[in-house]
Every structure is written in structure tokens, then in C-alpha cells.
Amino acid sequence: MPDNTTSASNAAASAADRAYAEIRGLILAGDASPGTPLREEALADIVGVSRTPVRDALRRLEVELYAVRTPGGRLVVADWDSDDVAEIFALRAMLEGHAAARAARRATPAQLAELRHCNAAIEAAVAIEQPDVARFLAENRRFHDIILSASASARLSTMLAGLVEQPIVRRTATRYDRADLARSAHEHSQLIQAFAAHDEDWARAVMTAHIRRALHAFQDATPSK
Amino acid sequence: MPDNTTSASNAAASAADRAYAEIRGLILAGDASPGTPLREEALADIVGVSRTPVRDALRRLEVELYAVRTPGGRLVVADWDSDDVAEIFALRAMLEGHAAARAARRATPAQLAELRHCNAAIEAAVAIEQPDVARFLAENRRFHDIILSASASARLSTMLAGLVEQPIVRRTATRYDRADLARSAHEHSQLIQAFAAHDEDWARAVMTAHIRRALHAFQDATPSK
DNA sequence: GTTGCTGATAATGTATACAAAACTGGCCAT
DNA sequence: ATGGCCAGTTTTGTATACATTATCAGCAAC
């Protein structure tokens, strides 16, 4: 199982972090389908820690709406229908657009260089015959993270953390053909231009378009759900 | 069920909720000034519960950025400068604008009636010689809550929960003169019109303007900080 | 005087025991 | 049959004890 989608199952991390990663993994892998109750003790057994860090993890998952609370206070795996996904992309478009605008005002030459370097890696990953999708995803995430840190808003970062669903991004990207991936890289370079020009509106517009294209790619890739 | 998430110690609520409300109160009242460490045991003594619900409360306050984590994992009271406040209002403007757009599409006649009734109460509170600011605030919050529920997006609701700072609203409103309060009520009625017409763009624009005016009222009311 | 170490101290992280609340099933009355 | 109620069981909420980690004062070496 080479799995473990996003940040790895860092054995060194705290018990709460491991619990979070593992439970989230269960949900995203579909092992815990929507509606499945998330019982603290059972999960504690699975993860191999006590209930305390599991509770911690569940609270985080609840904030990020992976889990929802029943009227009585029990947690169950949330059901994301296509409307939810569309809403996630809409919010991402707004918030990342805002982040891009802020980044355009604040980006330092060092950050610009980092972005250029990162996007070069993306272009390299998609230029070859069989695009290296894993590499694309990793660098793509890094690209967006750099922008987020350039935006210098802790609030934006925490809000987007629960919104940027790497699994969704992955499902989108795996359906991209090479032309799509190349277009994505091109949009990134447009973003860098906007940052270099310190043009907030331009940056916002490009980012918004970038994300909304991803939404439609995702919708085209999924039957209807 | 009179919600009451803002005002003080709801004796009936859970220990974690009381801890949350009380600690948040300490921060907002300035009893715990920015940079002050938030030690679990000390807070547990103050609130009169054990560390467990206090930890719970602190996690929530951390997500909402009332507290920030030092590199070593300790929590301290966050320092909100004027940029932070501006950022909060900017995000609120975006997200509540989005909520208004969604509400415009979805609002039911019953919800419209509720909004009209609520705004009538607001108008009544500000029409008198000495405006009833407390009443204004309560109904104002209810007004925005109705819109939020009409928008039918759990994500928006949870995101805005950490953003809608009643204390900030309060500091703004107490500096409003009667004309300002009346203008607020007028903007609300414009919103209702936009909802009734199911005009998403109109609703979004009015809401955005509504919030951005609040930002500038706030900035005018506070020296510079 | 400054730097770097080291051990005491104090804080958070985790496990577990106990309390309270919510679901479940069946029984009874209608 | 159906609806409501009650006890047993399960699940979450809270308290507390223990483990682990970060902080900081003091001291030694340079």
C-alpha cells in the first residue's frame, strides 16, 4: 500500500496527528463511507492510541467538514455530493483569488524566484511523453503554498487548509491530458507575471480562472454522483 | 432555544462551551492582553473545570485565531493589528457576499418574511430618540444568521462563525450615530428586495457594500492602533 | 562578557477511570 | 397494530494521573 495520499504517515508526528492522518485516510479512501459513525473507542483501537488524541483528530475533521455531528452529538462521515464539491471550488476560487491579490502586492523577489523554479519543475513534469502526475501534484501544491505564504494572512491559510483537498485535486489532475496539464503550467506562469507586475486584479482574475477551470475538469471527470 | 453564543456563561451549556465562552471573554475584554500565555491549568482553575474541556476550548480559539501557537507549542493570546481587522472584514465581505448570492437563489417566502420581520425590529430599535443598541445588535445578528441559513452551505456557516466578531460589530455599532444605524437598516431592506427578486448579483453587491461600510465605520471609530 | 551546556521546572501530550447523556430494544396501554 | 415509556447498553463528556517535551536559570569554558 504505497498510499497515504498527502503528507505521509509520519511516525515521528504526535499521536493526535497520526490519528488525524489515519482517520482522514479512512474517509478519503472510502473505507468509511458517508454516514458511517465515527466512534472514538473503535478508532482509538485502529490507530493504536487512546481516545484523547482521537477526539482531537475528530474535532479537526469536524471543522473541516469531513465529519458532521448528528443532533445527539455523534459524529458520522460527511456526505459530499456534487453541490458540496462545487461549493468547495467556489470558495477556493474566492479565497485563493484573494490570496493571489495579496501576494501580488507583497511578493518578494525571492518568492518570485521560488515560484518560477517551482513552475519550471511542473513544466518539466508534464513536458515528457508520459507526464509525471505525482510530481505535478507535489509541485502544484508547493506552488499554491508559496502563494499562500506570500499572501501573509494566517487566516487565509487556516481557512484554505480545510478546503484544498488534495484527493479532489488528484482526481482532477489524473483526468487531465497532457494539454490540460500544460495549460495549468501556463496559467501558473501568467500568475507569476501578475505577481511580478504587482497587479492585484490580474493575479486575482488568473487565479479565479485557474480554479474554476479545475472545477469543470473535475465535473467532466466524474459521472454525476 | 436562545442560542447565545456570544454573551456570557450559559450555565446550562457543556463545560467545554462555558470554557470557550469564558476564555474568549477574557481575551475580548482585554483581561488577557496580546502575548499573554494561555496555560491550560490556570484557565481550568479560573473556569472551574478540568483541563480537558479547556483544551477543547483552546483548540477552537486557535482555529479562530484568537490564540496563536508559539514554535514550542504553547498558546498565547493573538495580537490583532489594524491589518488583521481589515483582513477579517475583507474575508467577511467576500464570504457573506457569497452567502447573500446563494440566499438570493434559494430564499423561501417564509425566510423572506422572517427577514422582513427581523428588519422591522431593527428599524424600531433605531427609530427612537436613544437607539436601543443592544436590541439592534441582537436583531442584526439574527438577520445575518437567517441569510446564512438561507444560503444552505454548512461550509460557509462554519467559516463565518469564526469571522463574525460580535465584539467588533459591537465596537462599531456603539460608535454609529442614529443616522448610521438607520442606513444599516436601509441596506438590509435593499438586501431583502434583492432576495425577493432572486437577483444574486444584486444581493452580493449590497452585502459587500454593507460590510465594507462597517469596516470604515470601525476604522473611523478606532484611533489607529 | 558571551556562548553553550545541563538539569530543574513547568507546560503540554497522552492514557485511563468515571459521569452523564443518548440510542436501542422490548413491554405495555390504547 | 401503534405509540409511548422505561431500563439496559453504548457512546460521548469530564476529571485526573502519568509521560513527554520545552523553557530557563545557573554555571562552566572560552
Side-chain angles (χ1 to χ4, degrees):
Chain A
M1 203 210 294
D3 190 325
N4 247 318
T5 48
T6 55
S7 57
S9 54
N10 216 336
S14 71
D17 290 339
R18 274 179 307 166
Y20 171 81
E22 195 149 342
I23 297 168
R24 183 161 169 263
L26 289 176
I27 295 173
L28 293 171
D31 293 343
S33 53
T36 305
L38 293 164
R39 289 186 303 281
E40 296 176 358
E41 197 156 1
L43 293 169
D45 289 344
I46 292 173
V47 180
V49 297
S50 81
R51 270 181 58 209
T52 309
V54 168
R55 281 174 70 80
D56 220 67
L58 288 176
R59 291 288 148 76
R60 279 196 255 170
L61 292 165
E62 187 189 352
V63 171
E64 292 167 8
L65 290 181
Y66 286 99
V68 294
R69 210 163 266 277
T70 67
R74 261 95 160 148
L75 284 176
V76 298
V77 177
D79 185 15
W80 291 12
D81 58 17
S82 59
D83 283 351
D84 277 310
V85 173
E87 174 72 348
I88 288 172
F89 274 98
L91 291 171
R92 264 194 76 191
M94 279 197 306
L95 294 175
E96 290 216 47
H98 184 64
R102 285 179 61 99
R105 176 194 291 272
R106 293 173 173 75
T108 65
Q111 286 168 326
L112 283 174
E114 213 178 342
L115 285 171
R116 284 197 187 92
H117 183 269
C118 185
N119 201 41
I122 292 177
E123 282 168 346
V126 305
I128 54 183
E129 186 72 26
Q130 272 295 11
D132 183 348
V133 174
R135 183 79 191 283
F136 172 87
L137 288 167
E139 294 293 339
N140 181 64
R141 182 186 182 105
R142 205 166 83 81
F143 189 88
H144 285 262
D145 280 350
I146 295 168
I147 294 173
L148 211 52
S149 83
S151 77
S153 167
R155 243 182 198 82
L156 267 176
S157 301
T158 58
M159 287 184 139
L160 276 167
L163 232 47
V164 175
E165 275 331 307
Q166 213 54 12
I168 286 181
V169 175
R170 176 147 71 99
R171 263 161 68 195
T172 307
T174 49
R175 286 313 207 106
Y176 277 0
D177 57 21
R178 224 175 75 192
D180 278 325
L181 293 171
R183 205 170 311 150
S184 197
H186 177 67
E187 286 164 1
H188 284 180
S189 79
Q190 250 191 289
L191 264 176
I192 294 172
Q193 282 184 266
F195 293 154
H198 297 292
D199 186 329
E200 297 183 34
D201 292 339
W202 187 10
R204 184 193 301 269
V206 173
M207 179 63 93
T208 303
H210 182 53
I211 306 248
R212 295 207 71 88
R213 185 169 68 79
L215 162 62
H216 293 290
F218 181 84
Q219 286 179 335
D220 291 346
T222 53
S224 69
K225 180 81 186 265
Chain B
M1 200 222 287
D3 192 324
N4 218 342
T5 39
T6 53
S7 77
S9 39
N10 216 332
S14 72
D17 291 339
R18 274 178 306 162
Y20 172 80
E22 195 150 341
I23 297 168
R24 185 163 167 254
L26 290 176
I27 295 172
L28 293 171
D31 293 344
S33 52
T36 305
L38 293 165
R39 289 186 303 282
E40 296 176 356
E41 196 156 0
L43 292 169
D45 289 343
I46 292 173
V47 180
V49 297
S50 81
R51 269 180 59 208
T52 310
V54 168
R55 280 175 69 80
D56 221 65
L58 287 176
R59 292 288 148 78
R60 278 197 257 170
L61 292 165
E62 187 188 353
V63 171
E64 292 167 9
L65 290 182
Y66 285 100
V68 294
R69 211 164 264 277
T70 67
R74 263 102 158 144
L75 284 175
V76 299
V77 176
D79 185 15
W80 291 10
D81 58 17
S82 60
D83 282 351
D84 278 307
V85 172
E87 173 73 346
I88 288 172
F89 274 99
L91 290 171
R92 266 194 72 192
M94 279 197 306
L95 294 175
E96 289 217 48
H98 184 65
R102 286 178 62 97
R105 177 194 291 271
R106 293 172 172 77
T108 65
Q111 287 168 326
L112 282 173
E114 213 178 341
L115 285 171
R116 286 199 186 91
H117 184 269
C118 186
N119 201 40
I122 292 176
E123 282 168 344
V126 304
I128 54 183
E129 186 71 27
Q130 272 296 11
D132 183 347
V133 174
R135 182 79 190 282
F136 172 88
L137 290 168
E139 293 293 341
N140 182 65
R141 178 179 187 113
R142 205 165 85 81
F143 188 87
H144 285 261
D145 280 348
I146 294 168
I147 294 173
L148 212 50
S149 82
S151 76
S153 167
R155 249 187 191 77
L156 266 175
S157 300
T158 57
M159 288 184 136
L160 275 166
L163 231 49
V164 175
E165 276 332 308
Q166 209 54 11
I168 286 181
V169 174
R170 185 154 142 274
R171 263 160 68 197
T172 307
T174 49
R175 290 311 206 101
Y176 278 178
D177 58 20
R178 225 175 75 192
D180 279 325
L181 294 171
R183 206 169 310 149
S184 196
H186 177 66
E187 286 164 359
H188 284 179
S189 78
Q190 250 191 289
L191 264 175
I192 294 172
Q193 281 184 268
F195 293 153
H198 297 294
D199 186 330
E200 297 183 34
D201 293 338
W202 186 11
R204 184 192 301 270
V206 173
M207 179 62 95
T208 303
H210 182 53
I211 305 239
R212 294 208 71 88
R213 185 170 67 79
L215 162 62
H216 292 289
F218 181 84
Q219 287 178 333
D220 292 346
T222 52
S224 69
K225 176 68 190 282

